């Protein structure tokens, strides 16, 4: 935490330190063609009672970063650098046993694909009850009662009957809610929500977001909220981190970010949203694709798609620089904006 | 049929291949029995996933279904795609009743109706490479020789923005969004007529979403595709769909042209859906209030109007009598709603 590399937000003197502090996280996948860096020097802080929204293109490393914190990177991936300090403990260097006691109970995750996280051969009630049984040493019977209550809280109708259902018997949105119930079961200090409401309709989404934010207000949970849906992020996040090809492109308080995105990639993202006046017309897109991790691009990784790029963008990886107060941008041109007004 | 509303097909006579709607769904019903664990487990309840759903999709249009999670959208799609047998009702494709089609024809009809499944991970075989997954429908339907199949695979992979150098990788080696593109490539590979897309965008980030939406529109024009588009993303629906149906608890509760639906929603559930749409510029915690009350159970739908326990407008009538899907007054042609009070000018008690 004494590491001076750029983090998100400024530290107010009377603000308690972050609950989880990630510095220079680096994740590599060993592929046939050699190691590829999928997450590169990622740093951020999560504060109690606050939500950090993480946005970025498909394949930019959001899920991999989250899984790294949980110690769940699948082989051939591995964490090869950085620290993630949680309650005096570095999660990236913890033993499997230490992680086991943190995971689920103190740091919980809502996974992007519920089908891969839920066990197909156990009922959802059994799987949630298991959490209470292991982490709160409740009896089997009490744990089942708690599981039914948890299922009810996330708005699944007929919780008693549905607790007996297997994952394949539930709709996509219900599986998602079952997973949210499991994640919130033990009142974690940190919640990592990876596309948590993507599979839900707007009314259920609003209910789930209310549930999560109410819990946050009551218990001071810190949240890492990963989502493609910028509108949802704008309604839950205190701060925003934009990740591009494994690196931080921009960090800012949510309000100023949505008012005035500074990185050209962030500007492109906000411009691609469908709106009423674009109906029937092609939507603006950011041309091209995120570079594959094996593609070697020197300098700014966004340069091939950037509409304002200059030759000097290819010279060096643009460092994450403070632009004004609590805003940081990894673009050599973003600093000039203050002159432009 | 002068006395039945124009857009609810109750009966249908076969028509030539190129005339009439591409798809006609009449009174389709699909329920699931829930059983206690074990081979001969007792039935503990019946999920009324899809009940008495009727609509048609015209050639070349994009017809969207939106609705509550668990209201039966995927079940409806899978029943139309003949993955689930219907309990009741009929599906007509291009003038042929699906149940009547002989096995050989059913196979060719299946080729012409392709589905993009909701869970891009669960629906991709983990032991097949991306290239094999995309080519599989071509192999099943014996389309072209090996060389042509490989060529078509590359062509659609490129069309959806996959790096063709990655095609010999396995699904788990792709990100969620990349996997969704594999699923889309697979669906369009055998040149279908109707593409049923169940949440094709939810795993994609916004910039790829807009690329995929643009791609879907471009493919639609080029290959004369018709889309049955299921999505929670109202902004995307509004952008691409010509008509929208709203489902609640297994039934269609409103159906209209897209513009009419967004400008002049008549069913209180549709109004709630639109009101809860998140928007940039409101900041944290200023979301529209979600409709109160518990989401009712498809195991035991409430009597009367299925939405009445959560409806701000509910009256005594709503608690006893279920409103039929009917043409709404003072609205555009083809605007249907299932609400006793869909006419805003009709005084309430
Ligand atoms: N097992 C693996 N082997 C090789 N590469 C992998 C593996 N798993 C993930 N990757 C790569 O790591 C990168 C980051 O993936 P990640 O799942 O974190 O993306 P994401 O930002 O969560 O994307 P999405 O928004 O689509 O979920 C991708 O380029 C992906 O191809
Ligand atoms: N194979 C099955 N066995 C038993 N019940 C099922 C089965 N498939 C779906 N159901 C139930 O049918 C109802 C409708 O499910 P469906 O998947 O069609 O919903 P959906 O509208 O697609 O929801 P979502 O938006 O969450 O994907 C749900 O209550 C679900 O639990
Ligand atoms: S019929 Fe009654 S309860 Fe149902 S939506 Fe209309 S007003 Fe509400
Ligand atoms: Mg992801
Ligand atoms: Mg579904």
């Amino acid at each position: 935490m004494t590491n001076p590399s750029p983090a998100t937000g400024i530290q107010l003197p009377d603000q308690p330190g972050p609950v989880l502090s990630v510095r220079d996280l680096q994740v590599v996948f060993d592929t046939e063609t050699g190691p590829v860096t999928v997450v590169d020097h990622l740093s951020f802080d999560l504060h109690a009672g606050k939500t950090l929204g993480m946005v970025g293109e498909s394949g930019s490393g959001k899920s991999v970063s989250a899984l790294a914190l949980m110690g769940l990177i699948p082989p051939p991936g591995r964490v090869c650098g950085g620290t993630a300090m949680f309650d005096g403990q570095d999660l990236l260097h913890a033993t499997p046993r230490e992680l086991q006691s943190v995971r689920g109970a103190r740091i919980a995750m809502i996974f992007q694909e519920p089908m891969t996280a839920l066990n197909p051969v156990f009922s959802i009630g059994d799987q949630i009850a298991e959490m209470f049984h292991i982490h709160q040493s409740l009896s089997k019977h009490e744990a089942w009662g708690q599981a039914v209550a948890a299922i009810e809280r996330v708005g699944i109708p007929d919780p008693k009957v549905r607790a007996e259902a297997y994952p394949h018997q539930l709709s996509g949105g219900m599986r998602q809610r079952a997973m949210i119930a499991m994640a919130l079961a033990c009142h974690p200090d940190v919640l990592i929500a990876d596309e948590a409401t993507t599979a839900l309709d707007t009314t259920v989404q609003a209910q789930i977001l209310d549930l999560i934010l109410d819990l946050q207000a009551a218990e001071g949970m810190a949240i890492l909220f990963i989502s493609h849906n910028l509108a949802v992020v704008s309604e839950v996040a205190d701060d925003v981190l934009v990740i591009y090809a494994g690196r931080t492109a921009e960090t800012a308080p949510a309000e100023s970010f949505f008012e005035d995105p500074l990185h050209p990639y962030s500007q492109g993202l906000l411009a691609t949203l469908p709106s009423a006046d674009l109906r029937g017309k092609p939507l603006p897109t950011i041309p091209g694709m995120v570079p594959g991790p094996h593609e070697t691009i020197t300098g700014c990784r966004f340069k091939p798609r950037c509409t304002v790029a200059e030759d000097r963008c290819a010279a060096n990886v643009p460092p994450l620089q403070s632009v004004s107060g609590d805003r940081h941008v990894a673009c050599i041109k973003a600093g000039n904006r203050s002159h432009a007004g | 049929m002068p006395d039945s509303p124009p857009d609810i097909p109750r009966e249908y006579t076969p028509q030539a291949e190129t005339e009439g709607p591409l798809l006609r769904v009449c009174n389709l019903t699909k329920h699931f029995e829930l059983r206690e664990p074990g081979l001969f487990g007792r039935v503990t309840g019946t999920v009324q996933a899809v009940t008495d759903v009727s609509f048609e999709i015209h050639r070349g249009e994009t017809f969207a279904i939106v609705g509550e999670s668990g209201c039966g959208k995927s079940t409806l799609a899978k029943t139309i795609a003949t993955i689930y047998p219907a309990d009741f009702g009929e599906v007509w494709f291009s003038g042929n009743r699906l149940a009547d089609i002989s096995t050989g024809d059913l196979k060719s009809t299946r080729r012409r109706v392709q589905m993009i499944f909701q869970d891009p991970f669960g629906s991709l075989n983990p032991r097949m490479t991306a290239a094999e997954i995309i080519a599989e429908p071509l192999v099943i339907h014996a389309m072209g020789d090996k060389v042509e199949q490989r060529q078509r695979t590359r062509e659609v992979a490129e069309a959806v923005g996959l790096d063709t150098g990655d095609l010999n990788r396995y699904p788990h080696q792709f990100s969620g969004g990349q996997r969704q593109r594999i699923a889309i490539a697979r669906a369009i590979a055998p040149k279908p007529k109707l593409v049923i897309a169940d949440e094709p965008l939810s795993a994609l980030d916004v910039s790829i979403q807009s690329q995929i939406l643009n791609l879907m529109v471009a493919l639609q024009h080029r290959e004369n595709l018709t889309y049955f588009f299921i999505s929670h993303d109202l902004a995307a629906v509004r952008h691409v769909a010509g008509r929208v149906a709203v489902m609640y608890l297994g039934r269609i509760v409103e159906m209209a042209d897209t513009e009419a639906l967004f400008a002049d929603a008549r069913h209180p559930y549709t109004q709630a859906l639109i009101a809860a749409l998140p928007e940039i510029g409101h900041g944290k915690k200023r979301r529209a209030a979600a409709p109160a009350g518990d989401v009712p159970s498809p195991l035991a739908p409430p009597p009367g109007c299925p939405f009445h326990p959560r409806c701000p407008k509910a009256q005594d009538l709503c608690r006893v009598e279920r409103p039929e899907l009917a043409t709404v007054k003072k609205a555009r042609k083809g605007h249907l709603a299932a609400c006793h009070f869909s006419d805003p000018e009709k005084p309430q008690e």
Side-chain angles (χ1 to χ4, degrees), chain A residues 153-165:
Chain A
R153 265 200 304 280
V154 291
I156 296 180
D158 286 314
K160 279 210 183 76
V161 179
R162 292 302 184 142
E164 316 239 3

Side-chain angles (χ1 to χ4, degrees), chain A residues 57-58 113 115-116 157-158 198-199 201-202 204 210 213 216 228 235-236 238 278-279 281 283 286 288-289, chain B residues 68-69 119 121 161 177 179 202-205 207 211 214 232 238-239 241 273 279 284 287 295 297 299:
Chain A
E57 204 132 340
S58 247
E113 276 147 353
M115 264 323 233
T116 57
D158 286 314
T198 309
D201 75 80
T202 54
V204 175
D210 281 344
L213 293 188
Q216 180 176 51
H228 292 311
E235 294 194 352
V236 300
D238 297 283
L278 285 172
R279 202 178 123 65
K281 299 189 196 120
L283 292 167
I286 304 174
M289 287 164 62
Chain B
E68 185 103 35
S69 313
D119 182 340
F121 197 48
R179 286 198 283 264
S202 65
L204 305 176
D205 56 90
S207 80
Q211 288 181 4
N214 289 348
H232 287 305
R238 185 176 195 166
H239 188 77
L273 266 187
E279 259 178 340
K284 193 178 179 181
R287 273 163 294 112
V295 181
S297 163
L299 289 165

Side-chain angles (χ1 to χ4, degrees), chain B residues 128 130-140 149-150 153 186 189:
Chain B
M128 288 166 80
E132 287 165 347
I133 290 169
I134 297 170
E136 194 183 34
L138 302 175
V139 175
I140 290 175
Q149 288 175 358
R150 208 169 301 139
T153 302
R186 174 194 164 90

Side-chain angles (χ1 to χ4, degrees), chain A residues 162 168-174 199, chain B residues 32 34 47 49 68-75 84 118 199 232 298:
Chain A
R162 292 302 184 142
H168 75 272
Q169 294 176 318
L170 300 174
S171 80
M174 285 166 149
Chain B
F32 295 103
L34 291 184
V47 180
E68 185 103 35
S69 313
C71 69
K73 302 178 296 296
S74 298
T75 304
Y84 291 149
Q118 182 167 10
E199 297 285 354
H232 287 305

Side-chain angles (χ1 to χ4, degrees), chain A residues 32 49-51 56-59 112-113 115-116 155 157-158 161-162 164 166 169 171-175 177 195 198-207 209-210 213 216-217 228-232 234-238 258 265 269-270 272-276 278-289 294-295 305, chain B residues 34 37 44 47 67-70 118-121 161-163 166 169 173 175-179 181 199 202-211 213-214 232 234-242 258-259 269 272-274 276-288 290-291 293 295-300 310:
Chain A
E32 292 130 46
K50 297 282 180 202
T51 306
E57 204 132 340
S58 247
Q112 185 168 7
E113 276 147 353
M115 264 323 233
T116 57
D158 286 314
V161 179
R162 292 302 184 142
E164 316 239 3
Y166 293 86
Q169 294 176 318
S171 80
M174 285 166 149
R175 285 200 286 263
R177 281 184 270 177
E195 300 291 349
T198 309
L200 306 175
D201 75 80
T202 54
T203 69
V204 175
Q205 171 168 282
Q207 281 173 354
L209 294 179
D210 281 344
L213 293 188
Q216 180 176 51
H228 292 311
N229 191 322
L230 293 170
V232 172
S234 81
E235 294 194 352
V236 300
D238 297 283
F258 286 104
Y265 174 63
L269 270 187
L270 283 161
T272 57
L273 297 181
S275 65
L278 285 172
R279 202 178 123 65
K281 299 189 196 120
L283 292 167
T285 57
I286 304 174
M289 287 164 62
H294 46 273
E295 280 174 60
R305 304 173 68 190
Chain B
L34 291 184
T44 52
V47 180
E68 185 103 35
S69 313
Q118 182 167 10
D119 182 340
F121 197 48
L162 282 169
D163 188 341
D166 290 343
R169 287 165 47 177
Q173 294 172 314
S175 78
Q178 290 164 329
R179 286 198 283 264
R181 291 193 232 184
E199 297 285 354
S202 65
L204 305 176
D205 56 90
V206 276
S207 80
I208 303 298
Q209 272 182 15
S210 46
Q211 288 181 4
L213 280 175
N214 289 348
H232 287 305
L234 295 182
V237 164
R238 185 176 195 166
H239 188 77
V240 295
T258 305
E259 274 164 66
Y269 175 63
L273 266 187
I274 294 172
L277 186 61
E279 259 178 340
I280 289 172
H282 293 246
K284 193 178 179 181
K285 289 181 191 174
R286 277 208 250 128
R287 273 163 294 112
V295 181
S297 163
L299 289 165
R310 300 169 72 196

Side-chain angles (χ1 to χ4, degrees), chain B:
Chain B
M1 296 184 292
D3 43 19
S4 77
D7 275 314
I8 309 181
R10 295 295 175 194
E11 270 170 45
Y12 186 57
T13 34
Q15 275 167 312
E17 277 274 311
T18 52
E19 286 169 24
L22 182 66
L23 185 81
R24 209 153 200 189
V25 173
C26 310
N27 311 104
L28 201 67
T29 298
K30 176 72 194 166
H31 293 173
F32 295 103
E33 285 181 344
L34 291 184
R35 291 173 181 278
E36 278 180 344
L39 198 51
F40 303 106
R42 198 167 51 87
V43 174
T44 52
T46 303
V47 180
Q48 305 189 9
V50 173
T51 306
D52 197 19
V53 165
S54 301
F55 62 91
E56 53 191 42
I57 304 183
H58 308 295
R59 287 164 204 276
E61 84 166 331
T62 298
F63 181 80
I65 293 248
V66 301
E68 185 103 35
S69 313
C71 69
K73 302 178 296 296
S74 298
T75 304
L76 174 63
K78 288 182 188 164
T79 311
I80 291 171
T82 66
I83 293 164
Y84 291 149
D87 294 345
F88 185 77
E90 295 173 354
V91 178
W92 297 76
F93 181 78
S94 216
N96 296 299
R97 209 175 86 157
L98 280 189
D100 294 340
I101 296 173
S102 62
T103 332
D105 283 350
L106 187 59
K107 209 171 161 190
S108 89
T109 303
R110 280 210 177 128
R111 174 179 75 71
R112 292 184 298 162
V113 180
Q114 288 293 322
M115 181 154 173
I116 300 164
F117 292 93
Q118 182 167 10
D119 182 340
F121 197 48
S123 65
L124 300 181
N125 186 335
R127 276 177 286 277
M128 288 166 80
T129 65
E132 287 165 347
I133 290 169
I134 297 170
E136 194 183 34
L138 302 175
V139 175
I140 290 175
H141 298 293
M143 294 178 73
D145 57 28
K146 281 249 138 47
V147 178
E148 285 163 332
Q149 288 175 358
R150 208 169 301 139
Q151 199 179 335
R152 178 74 180 155
T153 302
R154 290 181 71 89
E155 187 180 302
V156 292
E158 267 165 30
V160 299
L162 282 169
D163 188 341
T164 46
D166 290 343
L167 289 181
N168 52 7
R169 287 165 47 177
Y170 291 88
H172 72 272
Q173 294 172 314
F174 290 91
S175 78
Q178 290 164 329
R179 286 198 283 264
Q180 188 61 284
R181 291 193 232 184
I182 296 173
I184 294 173
R186 174 194 164 90
I188 62 175
K191 306 194 168 159
K193 284 262 167 261
L194 177 70
V195 174
I196 302 177
D198 193 356
E199 297 285 354
L201 304 172
S202 65
L204 305 176
D205 56 90
V206 276
S207 80
I208 303 298
Q209 272 182 15
S210 46
Q211 288 181 4
I212 295 284
L213 280 175
N214 289 348
L215 171 76
M216 285 176 69
V217 173
L219 286 171
Q220 179 164 42
H221 292 307
R222 201 173 74 198
E223 317 223 345
N224 196 22
L225 287 177
T226 302
Y227 291 121
F228 180 43
F229 182 70
I230 300 174
S231 180
H232 287 305
D233 185 341
L234 295 182
V237 164
R238 185 176 195 166
H239 188 77
V240 295
R243 283 189 306 135
V244 183
V246 182
M247 263 179 99
Y248 190 79
L249 226 57
R251 294 174 188 268
I252 292 183
V253 296
E254 184 157 10
M255 182 151 60
D257 287 351
T258 305
E259 274 164 66
L261 191 92
F262 280 92
D264 186 24
R266 296 297 183 88
H267 195 285
Y269 175 63
T270 314
Q271 292 166 349
L273 266 187
I274 294 172
L277 186 61
E279 259 178 340
I280 289 172
H282 293 246
K284 193 178 179 181
K285 289 181 191 174
R286 277 208 250 128
R287 273 163 294 112
D294 289 340
V295 181
S297 163
L299 289 165
C305 171
F307 191 56
H308 88 251
R310 300 169 72 196
C311 182
K313 289 191 192 164
Q315 309 286 322
D316 288 343
L317 174 65
C318 307
R319 285 178 263 276
V320 289
E321 192 180 308
R322 188 170 54 76
E324 288 290 333
L325 186 63
T327 307
V328 289
K329 305 254 159 49
K330 300 182 195 76
R332 275 218 230 168
K333 188 173 162 289
H335 192 153
L336 310 176
C339 168
H340 291 303
F341 302 101
S342 63
D343 179 355
E345 279 160 42
K346 186 169 144 193
Q348 292 186 21
E349 291 139 60

